[in-house]
């Protein structure tokens, strides 16, 4: 123990090498190399552990942030749906959808949301499940699908 951590190992080694046998120099050489290597490995492992822990937490934070953005986007889509549903029956008709898309404010909002809707009938047909009415869930899921398809 004292040989390794005292810093005075040359004093101990010199006595053994000069007065007992020169073969002890080989022992001390191997010993010093092994201890130095082990210390570097331990220090490297500690840095690596901390780095991986930070990277893991960054990935978790990024996932949470992405999920929060998706939830916020879905809430904004529901607000848009409620504004477009002028009959307040909980469903969006093609006429209501076309009417809301003529408003310049809505066009700007859709552009900000990365949605460029030029063909309102085609978009409505994609959102609709075939009954001529779009529910809030169909609207949000459909727009999220459209937005995902536009990015890929």
């Amino acid at each position: 123990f004292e040989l390794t951590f005292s810093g005075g190992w040359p004093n101990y080694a010199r006595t053994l090498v000069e007065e007992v046998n020169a073969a002890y120099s080989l022992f001390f050489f191997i010993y010093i190399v092994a201890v130095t290597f082990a210390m570097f490995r331990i220090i490297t492992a500690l840095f690596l552990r901390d780095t991986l822990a930070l990277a893991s937490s960054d990935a978790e934070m990024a996932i949470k942030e992405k999920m929060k953005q998706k939830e916020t986007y879905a809430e904004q889509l529901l607000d848009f749906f409620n504004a477009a549903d002028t009959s307040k029956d909980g469903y969006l008709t093609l006429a209501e959808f076309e009417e809301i898309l003529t408003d310049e404010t809505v066009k700007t909002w859709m552009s900000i949301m990365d949605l460029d809707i030029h063909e309102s009938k085609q978009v409505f047909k994609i959102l609709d499940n075939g009954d001529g009415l779009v529910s809030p869930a169909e609207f949000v899921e459909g727009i999220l699908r459209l937005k995902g398809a536009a990015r890929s």
Side-chain angles (χ1 to χ4, degrees), residues 2-17:
E2 194 174 327
L3 179 69
T4 304
F5 296 110
S6 71
W9 66 268
N11 297 333
Y12 303 118
R14 179 172 291 129
T15 305
L16 284 173
V17 171

Side-chain angles (χ1 to χ4, degrees), residues 60-127:
E60 290 172 8
M61 286 175 49
I63 290 169
K64 286 180 183 177
E65 181 65 30
K66 192 69 170 172
M67 290 175 70
K68 184 173 171 86
Q69 287 175 353
K70 190 174 181 179
E71 288 174 11
T72 302
Y73 188 72
E75 289 172 9
Q76 291 173 341
L77 288 174
L78 282 175
D79 290 342
F80 173 80
F81 180 88
N82 292 329
D85 182 20
T86 54
S87 64
K88 302 297 181 207
D89 61 353
Y91 292 97
L92 200 59
T93 63
L94 177 59
E96 290 173 326
F97 188 65
E98 287 179 332
E99 181 183 329
I100 195 84
L101 290 180
T102 59
D103 186 0
E104 286 300 317
T105 306
V106 171
K107 287 180 182 178
T108 304
W109 183 82
M110 296 290 262
S111 173
I112 290 170
M113 300 294 282
D114 293 331
L115 293 169
D116 290 325
I117 298 177
H118 300 293
E119 298 291 329
S120 58
K121 289 180 184 177
Q122 293 296 334
V123 173
F124 188 83
K125 192 182 287 187
I126 291 170
L127 299 176

Side-chain angles (χ1 to χ4, degrees), residues 35-74:
V35 168
T36 304
F37 179 74
M39 294 299 282
F40 277 120
R41 295 292 294 177
I42 291 170
I43 292 169
T44 302
L46 292 174
F47 281 125
L48 189 59
R49 182 192 64 188
D50 291 344
T51 302
L52 291 176
L54 283 173
S56 173
S57 104
D58 286 348
E60 290 172 8
M61 286 175 49
I63 290 169
K64 286 180 183 177
E65 181 65 30
K66 192 69 170 172
M67 290 175 70
K68 184 173 171 86
Q69 287 175 353
K70 190 174 181 179
E71 288 174 11
T72 302
Y73 188 72

